[in-house]
Amino acid sequence: PHTTRQQNTLINISKMMKTIFALLALFASASAFVPSTSAPVVKTALSAVQQPDAVKTISTVAAGFMPAILSSSAAMATEGTNEWFGVDDLRLLAVLFAGHYFILSLWLGQYGNATEDDDADFFGEIDYTGR
């Protein structure tokens, strides 16, 4: 029913529509990288409330600690001994934890007051004075 000229026209229109659609899709994806021009707004009710730093710290620690304890069987793995971490002598478990806490205290004593600003000059010269 269609002549060759009509078929060519339909093919050209189809190609043009595909090209226009691809171009519009490209523009739409590029707009995702444009900075927002709206004013900063509070996204949630929780972020609108000012909390003391201690509450933020406790909630951050709890957010990391609770899922590991409550949902992870590896945190309380018994490894066939029916005891946490596979240790059947509580004295050995105490020594393991004390050793880790001792090493942690040494590290915090040396680097406990380090902030992210101290890392800003990583590629500078090395300060051998210890200050």
Side-chain angles (χ1 to χ4, degrees):
H2 295 292
T3 65
T4 306
R5 183 174 178 190
Q6 288 175 335
Q7 287 178 345
N8 287 341
T9 304
L10 288 175
I11 290 173
N12 286 339
I13 289 174
S14 174
K15 286 182 182 179
M16 183 176 63
M17 294 302 279
K18 288 178 186 177
T19 304
I20 290 173
F21 178 76
L23 185 64
L24 290 176
L26 180 68
F27 288 153
S29 64
S31 69
F33 298 102
V34 175
S36 174
T37 57
S38 65
V41 295
V42 176
K43 300 289 185 205
T44 64
L46 289 178
S47 61
V49 178
Q50 292 295 329
Q51 296 178 347
D53 287 338
V55 173
K56 289 180 183 177
T57 303
I58 291 171
S59 62
T60 303
V61 169
F65 179 74
M66 296 308 267
I69 291 300
L70 295 177
S71 66
S72 175
S73 61
M76 304 200 188
T78 62
E79 299 179 7
T81 61
N82 255 358
E83 300 292 336
W84 283 11
F85 304 106
V87 177
D88 56 357
D89 187 1
L90 290 179
R91 295 175 295 176
L92 177 59
L93 190 61
V95 169
L96 287 172
F97 278 102
H100 282 89
Y101 283 121
F102 175 71
I103 293 171
L104 177 65
S105 69
L106 290 177
W107 187 87
L108 288 175
Q110 184 68 32
Y111 302 108
N113 60 353
T115 62
E116 290 187 26
D117 294 337
D118 294 338
D119 296 333
D121 60 349
F122 177 75
F123 291 103
E125 67 273 358
I126 298 174
D127 181 17
Y128 290 105
T129 62
R131 287 184 276 145

